[in-house]
Amino acid sequence: MSDEREQGRLTHFDAAGRAAMVDVSAKPVTERVAVARGRVVMAPATLARIEEGTMGKGDVLGVARIAGIMAAKRTSELIPLCHPLMLSRVAVDLVPAPPDAVEIEATVKLAGQTGVEMEALTAVTVAALTVYDMCKAVDRGMRIEAVRLVRKSGGKSGTYEAP
Amino acid sequence: MSDEREQGRLTHFDAAGRAAMVDVSAKPVTERVAVARGRVVMAPATLARIEEGTMGKGDVLGVARIAGIMAAKRTSELIPLCHPLMLSRVAVDLVPAPPDAVEIEATVKLAGQTGVEMEALTAVTVAALTVYDMCKAVDRGMRIEAVRLVRKSGGKSGTYEAP
Amino acid sequence: MSDEREQGRLTHFDAAGRAAMVDVSAKPVTERVAVARGRVVMAPATLARIEEGTMGKGDVLGVARIAGIMAAKRTSELIPLCHPLMLSRVAVDLVPAPPDAVEIEATVKLAGQTGVEMEALTAVTVAALTVYDMCKAVDRGMRIEAVRLVRKSGGKSGTYEAP
Amino acid sequence: MSDEREQGRLTHFDAAGRAAMVDVSAKPVTERVAVARGRVVMAPATLARIEEGTMGKGDVLGVARIAGIMAAKRTSELIPLCHPLMLSRVAVDLVPAPPDAVEIEATVKLAGQTGVEMEALTAVTVAALTVYDMCKAVDRGMRIEAVRLVRKSGGKSGTYEAP
Amino acid sequence: MSDEREQGRLTHFDAAGRAAMVDVSAKPVTERVAVARGRVVMAPATLARIEEGTMGKGDVLGVARIAGIMAAKRTSELIPLCHPLMLSRVAVDLVPAPPDAVEIEATVKLAGQTGVEMEALTAVTVAALTVYDMCKAVDRGMRIEAVRLVRKSGGKSGTYEAP
Amino acid sequence: MSDEREQGRLTHFDAAGRAAMVDVSAKPVTERVAVARGRVVMAPATLARIEEGTMGKGDVLGVARIAGIMAAKRTSELIPLCHPLMLSRVAVDLVPAPPDAVEIEATVKLAGQTGVEMEALTAVTVAALTVYDMCKAVDRGMRIEAVRLVRKSGGKSGTYEAP
């Protein structure tokens, strides 16, 4: 059972339905890891240009990696009810998936009282948005797809693996 | 032809492949509007809880709307090569799409020299992440899907409508 | 005696009067809680509109609650000599106080080496400013009043209750 | 009549009650000025210490002035539905008001399409919070009082003077 | 004569010596460009590693470029009396200067009422700090040197060229 | 040997050369202190004006001190691969060094798993930039020089003293 699930209601609301940042002070400090993934789908010609760039010029994926890492650190500023956290590791990887996609994976680690799923998901989405931004002049039809949590460990709920 | 497409290369890089924030000072000030959409796919039971909330308690969609609006204003802090902009309007709408999704649409408006696609896309993704955050205790398998630009007007390239 | 009061001088200055963020590294980690309150005084007609909104449309108090929670997390960016903190709980409550006021209360919790009074006070003031912003088109004469600490526990100075 | 008041409803909500950042793109660019004031009420002994500090050591009011100016620039990050603005002037003044208060006044100026009341009010409240922070070790009973708009000019609604 | 120099006093202070963000609303909108430079001096072996990295792995200079560009956009958050600006172009270049330095140059452009020197200088220093951060594990003795404005145009004071 | 140096490669890159925020979760929590220094070199007449100001009017050095302290807290937002940290102390000192310089020193302290060199260096550079900003109307030829780490303690690598 999830360590945040309580009596079947959404945990970010009190009994009267008021949003709040939930109290995590009674939770044990454990090592938390979360891995999230997503994908930017694009025209094959767009992917071809990105791949040329990674050969040494115009490194779209390198810029997007940095944007994703920096965004993970700012998750609590963006998501209203997320706790501020002192992340101990953030890595973001972007890999061309021919013929028409870039796959993105983010891994976030923390020794703390709350999970880091949102940080991993934020890293993936901001990296994806950065890919969009840098390629939008040649392809406005790109889509961000399949952003999801793939693995999570630590905390009372133990390990989660996406089916 | 796109107002940012020049000689077939990605416009955020100079001839030597170095990333830069492109010069928009010679572009005319026109009214720019961008509309983006996306979707959070979830278990039907999760959607049911969200819908109960909108009845007056635990308003997930209301919190996500605010998060999306606030994120649009911070796009240039998140996306490395985006210009800072004085947005003149931001609206975000989240609608339950039974049996298993929430549809999100963001509209951003500006009188300026550069488009606001990234602001609209950022609003959609942060609103989606906020839905995920508020429901993750009951459903870790949610996915953010189909984040894309649906319409854009203003600028040299004129109006774009997603096919 | 206060855990920050030393020889009767303001603790954010050194002996030469230079401002600094004070050293808290020797303080024990204890559970800290702070509760602050304040009030927005307005025309009775303005309060009436807010109350209509909370019935399901135009939820001024819900938006202000989110703004207050988010602001608490950014206190150390706003107040020059505040320490960055990993808050473990933030709750903000806004209640109509007929005929002419909205009462605001914020509760902030932390296991740490320094108090969270400023976080609670920041949450109250930003929630109050948000109420002002959303109602200013119909009432420019609103006033924010009586923002103060009402309770504090944890730390060397023990519990404080406002008289 | 206010330039933001429309048919008697709160302007930050659409007809269905959904919060949005209102469209200001059709408003003319005019010079906007707003002046806000507030007060920190404290023990006379606390004020005495602040006054000693302004004599050259431990300048509480100087630090609070800087905090207020910097906060004005970040108003749109704090208040969910405020527009980002390119302020052309911000001044904050803090004056001891014996026996037991510090009076704060902020003036903000902009050539733009929307007023700067919120920026002036934000400057006042953050300056007040900074005074509180720097003196809280000697006086936990301080209160922030009477934060209000005192004057506003520019825009369709013309000049407002607090009664 | 400088467009900010008035009667021989520092312009960020009023007659009573109080710091303020100066009023630029009466200044004409002109195209402003500023170019700043600086240098990170290091051990020759450190520079050799950076140069290996630019060949395709571990691109220190690429990461520093992005950091510098992003920092330029946040100058008004860091420097207390800087105006928020809508920069129209930011470019940062980092070039190895054997045997023992990396030279950094930033160019910032704006159509506005105030200069962009601070934005260019901020881009240079944050890019330099990023180089330091990424190489500090192998060389703690690096130094940031010669950060200065090299050229500025636009505004009442006309063009400035460093001697 | 440095606690971040591993097999002679730059630690912010993985084996494939991809930038990442390195994993510090296995490092022990120790008290970390870092001291950095730098200097703003200027015309003697500029220094004379600054010194007049510190006599009670127009306190350039006081404003720069606050800017440096606040910037230290935001280091992880500026430097892409820095960890977010809960600093326990920040002090910044600016001293006139006649005839033509201001010397700046920053001290940062933390009980944590990673060093605070970057925070101290960021405080120095932003304080220096603030001096530049406040004096640039009378002296555009100022230079920021000799920004470097002078001392560091804590962590596996023990104490470092600049030669």
Side-chain angles (χ1 to χ4, degrees):
Chain A
M1 192 190 142
S2 160
D3 62 333
E4 286 187 328
R5 203 178 303 171
E6 294 161 15
Q7 305 125 282
R9 63 179 166 78
L10 301 181
T11 51
H12 284 100
F13 297 100
D14 67 14
R18 287 179 297 243
M21 212 171 90
V22 297
D23 191 351
V24 298
S25 60
K27 293 189 182 187
V29 171
T30 63
E31 184 179 278
R32 314 280 188 145
V33 181
V35 180
R37 279 195 204 132
R39 174 187 312 139
V40 185
V41 180
M42 59 190 65
T46 308
L47 184 64
R49 292 209 190 166
I50 290 174
E51 290 187 289
E52 287 162 25
T54 58
M55 297 310 140
K57 291 189 171 192
D59 182 7
V60 170
L61 305 186
V63 176
R65 177 184 298 118
I66 297 301
I69 291 171
M70 294 179 84
K73 294 189 272 185
R74 305 186 71 180
T75 301
S76 72
E77 292 179 32
L78 296 171
I79 312 296
L81 305 177
C82 272
H83 293 79
L85 298 176
M86 289 200 308
L87 306 179
S88 49
R89 178 170 186 250
V90 182
V92 177
D93 207 6
L94 296 102
V95 179
D100 65 356
V102 169
E103 293 283 346
I104 306 173
E105 180 178 289
T107 304
V108 178
K109 205 167 164 183
L110 168 81
Q113 293 170 302
T114 182
V116 287
E117 300 97 306
M118 295 317 302
E119 283 71 14
L121 289 162
T122 299
V124 167
T125 53
V126 172
L129 289 168
T130 302
V131 170
Y132 189 101
D133 180 47
M134 300 184 84
C135 299
K136 70 180 190 293
V138 297
D139 185 358
R140 288 196 199 287
M142 287 173 288
R143 299 164 73 98
I144 301 172
E145 301 280 4
V147 177
R148 78 279 187 198
L149 181 67
V150 295
R151 192 167 47 251
K152 169 192 182 299
S153 63
K156 200 164 59 174
S157 60
T159 298
Y160 167 85
E161 293 272 355
Chain B
M1 190 189 142
S2 160
D3 62 332
E4 286 188 328
R5 202 178 304 171
E6 295 160 14
Q7 305 125 281
R9 62 178 168 79
L10 300 182
T11 50
H12 284 101
F13 297 101
D14 66 14
R18 286 179 297 242
M21 213 171 89
V22 297
D23 191 351
V24 298
S25 60
K27 294 190 182 187
V29 171
T30 63
E31 184 180 278
R32 314 280 189 144
V33 181
V35 181
R37 278 194 204 132
R39 177 187 310 139
V40 185
V41 180
M42 59 190 65
T46 309
L47 184 63
R49 293 211 188 164
I50 290 174
E51 291 186 290
E52 287 162 27
T54 58
M55 297 311 141
K57 292 190 169 190
D59 182 7
V60 170
L61 304 186
V63 176
R65 179 182 297 118
I66 296 301
I69 292 171
M70 294 179 82
K73 294 190 272 184
R74 306 187 70 181
T75 302
S76 72
E77 291 180 32
L78 295 171
I79 312 295
L81 305 178
C82 272
H83 294 79
L85 299 176
M86 289 199 309
L87 307 179
S88 48
R89 180 172 184 246
V90 182
V92 177
D93 207 5
L94 296 101
V95 179
D100 66 354
V102 169
E103 294 282 346
I104 307 172
E105 180 178 289
T107 304
V108 178
K109 204 167 163 183
L110 168 81
Q113 294 171 303
T114 182
V116 286
E117 300 98 307
M118 295 317 302
E119 283 70 15
L121 289 162
T122 300
V124 167
T125 53
V126 173
L129 289 167
T130 302
V131 170
Y132 189 100
D133 180 47
M134 299 183 84
C135 298
K136 70 180 189 293
V138 298
D139 185 358
R140 287 195 199 287
M142 287 173 288
R143 299 164 72 99
I144 302 173
E145 300 280 4
V147 178
R148 78 280 186 196
L149 180 68
V150 296
R151 191 165 50 250
K152 169 192 182 299
S153 63
K156 200 165 61 174
S157 61
T159 298
Y160 166 87
E161 293 274 353
Chain C
M1 191 189 141
S2 159
D3 62 335
E4 286 187 328
R5 203 178 303 170
E6 296 159 14
Q7 304 125 280
R9 64 178 167 79
L10 302 181
T11 51
H12 285 101
F13 298 101
D14 67 14
R18 287 178 296 241
M21 212 172 89
V22 298
D23 191 350
V24 298
S25 60
K27 293 188 182 187
V29 171
T30 62
E31 184 179 278
R32 313 281 187 144
V33 182
V35 181
R37 279 194 204 132
R39 176 187 311 139
V40 185
V41 180
M42 58 190 66
T46 309
L47 184 63
R49 292 208 189 167
I50 290 174
E51 291 187 290
E52 287 162 27
T54 58
M55 297 310 142
K57 291 188 170 194
D59 182 6
V60 170
L61 305 186
V63 175
R65 179 183 297 118
I66 296 301
I69 291 171
M70 293 179 84
K73 294 190 272 184
R74 304 186 72 181
T75 302
S76 72
E77 292 180 31
L78 296 171
I79 312 297
L81 305 178
C82 272
H83 294 79
L85 299 176
M86 289 199 309
L87 307 179
S88 48
R89 179 172 186 248
V90 182
V92 177
D93 207 6
L94 296 101
V95 180
D100 65 355
V102 169
E103 293 283 346
I104 306 172
E105 180 177 289
T107 304
V108 179
K109 205 166 162 183
L110 169 81
Q113 294 170 303
T114 182
V116 286
E117 300 97 305
M118 295 317 302
E119 282 71 16
L121 289 163
T122 299
V124 167
T125 53
V126 172
L129 289 168
T130 302
V131 170
Y132 189 100
D133 180 46
M134 300 183 85
C135 298
K136 70 180 191 294
V138 298
D139 186 358
R140 288 196 198 289
M142 286 173 288
R143 299 164 72 98
I144 301 173
E145 301 279 5
V147 178
R148 78 280 186 196
L149 181 68
V150 296
R151 191 166 48 252
K152 170 194 182 297
S153 63
K156 199 164 63 175
S157 61
T159 299
Y160 166 87
E161 293 273 355
Chain D
M1 192 188 142
S2 159
D3 62 333
E4 286 187 327
R5 204 177 302 171
E6 296 160 13
Q7 305 125 282
R9 62 179 167 79
L10 301 181
T11 51
H12 285 99
F13 297 99
D14 67 14
R18 288 179 296 242
M21 213 171 90
V22 297
D23 191 351
V24 298
S25 60
K27 294 190 183 187
V29 172
T30 63
E31 184 179 279
R32 314 280 188 145
V33 182
V35 181
R37 278 193 205 133
R39 176 187 311 139
V40 184
V41 180
M42 59 189 65
T46 308
L47 184 63
R49 292 208 190 166
I50 290 174
E51 291 187 289
E52 287 162 26
T54 59
M55 297 310 141
K57 292 191 170 191
D59 182 7
V60 170
L61 305 186
V63 176
R65 178 183 297 117
I66 296 301
I69 291 171
M70 293 179 84
K73 295 189 272 183
R74 305 187 71 181
T75 301
S76 72
E77 292 180 31
L78 296 170
I79 313 296
L81 305 178
C82 273
H83 293 79
L85 298 176
M86 290 199 308
L87 307 179
S88 48
R89 178 170 185 248
V90 181
V92 177
D93 207 6
L94 296 102
V95 179
D100 66 354
V102 169
E103 293 283 346
I104 305 172
E105 180 177 288
T107 304
V108 179
K109 204 166 163 183
L110 168 81
Q113 294 171 302
T114 182
V116 286
E117 300 98 306
M118 295 317 302
E119 282 72 14
L121 289 162
T122 300
V124 167
T125 52
V126 172
L129 289 168
T130 302
V131 170
Y132 189 100
D133 180 47
M134 299 184 84
C135 299
K136 70 180 189 294
V138 298
D139 184 358
R140 287 196 200 286
M142 287 173 287
R143 300 163 71 99
I144 301 173
E145 301 279 5
V147 178
R148 79 280 187 196
L149 181 68
V150 295
R151 191 167 47 252
K152 169 192 182 300
S153 62
K156 199 164 63 173
S157 60
T159 298
Y160 167 86
E161 291 273 354
Chain E
M1 190 189 145
S2 160
D3 62 333
E4 285 188 329
R5 202 178 303 171
E6 295 159 14
Q7 305 125 282
R9 62 179 168 80
L10 301 181
T11 50
H12 284 100
F13 297 100
D14 67 13
R18 287 179 296 242
M21 213 171 89
V22 298
D23 191 351
V24 298
S25 62
K27 294 188 182 187
V29 171
T30 62
E31 185 178 278
R32 313 281 188 144
V33 181
V35 180
R37 279 194 204 132
R39 177 187 310 140
V40 185
V41 179
M42 59 190 64
T46 308
L47 184 63
R49 293 209 189 165
I50 290 175
E51 292 187 289
E52 287 162 27
T54 59
M55 298 310 141
K57 291 190 170 192
D59 182 7
V60 170
L61 305 186
V63 175
R65 178 183 297 117
I66 296 301
I69 292 171
M70 294 179 83
K73 295 190 271 185
R74 306 188 70 181
T75 301
S76 71
E77 291 180 32
L78 296 171
I79 313 296
L81 305 178
C82 273
H83 293 79
L85 299 176
M86 289 200 308
L87 306 179
S88 48
R89 179 172 185 249
V90 182
V92 177
D93 207 6
L94 296 103
V95 179
D100 66 355
V102 170
E103 293 282 346
I104 306 173
E105 180 178 288
T107 304
V108 178
K109 205 165 163 183
L110 169 80
Q113 294 171 303
T114 182
V116 286
E117 300 98 306
M118 295 317 303
E119 282 71 16
L121 289 162
T122 299
V124 166
T125 53
V126 173
L129 289 168
T130 302
V131 170
Y132 188 101
D133 180 47
M134 299 183 85
C135 298
K136 71 180 189 294
V138 297
D139 185 358
R140 288 196 198 287
M142 286 174 288
R143 300 163 72 98
I144 301 173
E145 301 279 4
V147 177
R148 78 279 186 197
L149 180 69
V150 296
R151 191 165 50 250
K152 169 193 182 299
S153 62
K156 199 164 62 173
S157 61
T159 298
Y160 166 86
E161 292 272 355
Chain F
M1 190 189 145
S2 161
D3 63 333
E4 286 186 330
R5 202 178 302 171
E6 295 159 17
Q7 304 126 280
R9 63 178 167 80
L10 302 182
T11 50
H12 284 101
F13 298 100
D14 66 14
R18 287 179 296 242
M21 212 172 89
V22 297
D23 191 351
V24 298
S25 61
K27 294 189 182 188
V29 171
T30 63
E31 184 180 278
R32 313 281 188 144
V33 181
V35 180
R37 277 192 206 134
R39 176 187 312 139
V40 185
V41 180
M42 59 191 64
T46 308
L47 183 63
R49 291 209 189 167
I50 290 175
E51 290 186 290
E52 287 161 27
T54 58
M55 297 311 139
K57 292 190 169 192
D59 182 7
V60 170
L61 305 186
V63 176
R65 178 183 298 118
I66 297 301
I69 292 170
M70 294 178 83
K73 294 189 272 184
R74 306 186 71 180
T75 301
S76 72
E77 292 180 31
L78 295 171
I79 312 295
L81 305 178
C82 272
H83 293 79
L85 299 175
M86 289 199 309
L87 307 179
S88 48
R89 178 172 186 247
V90 182
V92 177
D93 207 5
L94 296 101
V95 179
D100 66 356
V102 169
E103 293 282 347
I104 306 172
E105 180 177 288
T107 304
V108 178
K109 204 166 163 183
L110 169 80
Q113 294 171 301
T114 182
V116 286
E117 300 98 305
M118 294 317 302
E119 283 70 16
L121 289 162
T122 299
V124 167
T125 53
V126 172
L129 289 168
T130 302
V131 170
Y132 189 100
D133 181 47
M134 300 184 83
C135 298
K136 70 181 189 295
V138 298
D139 184 359
R140 288 197 199 287
M142 287 174 288
R143 299 163 73 98
I144 302 173
E145 301 278 5
V147 178
R148 78 279 187 198
L149 181 68
V150 296
R151 190 165 49 252
K152 170 193 183 298
S153 63
K156 199 164 64 173
S157 60
T159 298
Y160 166 86
E161 294 272 354

